[in-house]
Amino acid sequence: MDIIGGKWKLLILWHLNKGTLRFAELRRLLPGISKKVLTEALRELEDHQIVSRKIYPDIPPKVEYSITDLGKNLIPALKILAEWGEERSESNKKK
């Protein structure tokens, strides 16, 4: 849980599972996240080999993030958590 814990890491992985994204694209998909927090989360995920970063020698620099095979192993668990959350949300609406 230390690796994927926190408010943003699971959401980052969820979006990267759909495909490779640039920093600005990820930031748009995660309203409310600061540049600093996104950078820190991506670095931590990269340090644990859950996310990979590819730097292109363009000007301005282009950096893309993608989920690694190790990160893809987490997706089934994320889907189960998402389903659980949806069920809880629906049961709370019925009350």
Side-chain angles (χ1 to χ4, degrees), residues 38-78:
L38 180 55
T39 299
E40 289 172 358
L42 287 167
R43 283 185 184 154
E44 290 174 18
L45 290 168
E46 186 181 6
D47 288 345
H48 291 285
Q49 300 175 343
I50 305 295
V51 166
S52 66
R53 176 177 65 157
K54 185 171 183 179
I55 303 169
Y56 295 90
D58 297 338
I59 297 178
K62 178 181 173 183
V63 180
E64 291 182 338
Y65 294 91
S66 56
I67 194 167
T68 63
D69 288 339
L70 182 60
K72 288 178 184 177
N73 289 335
L74 292 168
I75 298 305
L78 294 181

Side-chain angles (χ1 to χ4, degrees), residues 8-9 22 34 46 49 52 67-68 73 76-77 81-83 92:
W8 299 106
K9 289 180 184 173
R22 294 179 69 180
S34 69
E46 186 181 6
Q49 300 175 343
S52 66
I67 194 167
T68 63
N73 289 335
L81 285 172
E83 290 170 4
N92 286 337

Side-chain angles (χ1 to χ4, degrees), residues 3 6 17 20 23-24 29 32 36 45 49 52 54 74 87 90 95:
I3 296 171
N17 186 51
T20 300
F23 185 88
L29 291 168
K36 178 185 178 207
L45 290 168
Q49 300 175 343
S52 66
K54 185 171 183 179
L74 292 168
E87 289 171 6
E90 289 173 10
K95 289 183 179 182

Side-chain angles (χ1 to χ4, degrees), residues 81-94:
L81 285 172
E83 290 170 4
W84 179 82
E86 289 173 9
E87 289 171 6
R88 298 285 305 148
S89 176
E90 289 173 10
S91 68
N92 286 337
K93 288 178 185 176
K94 293 177 184 176

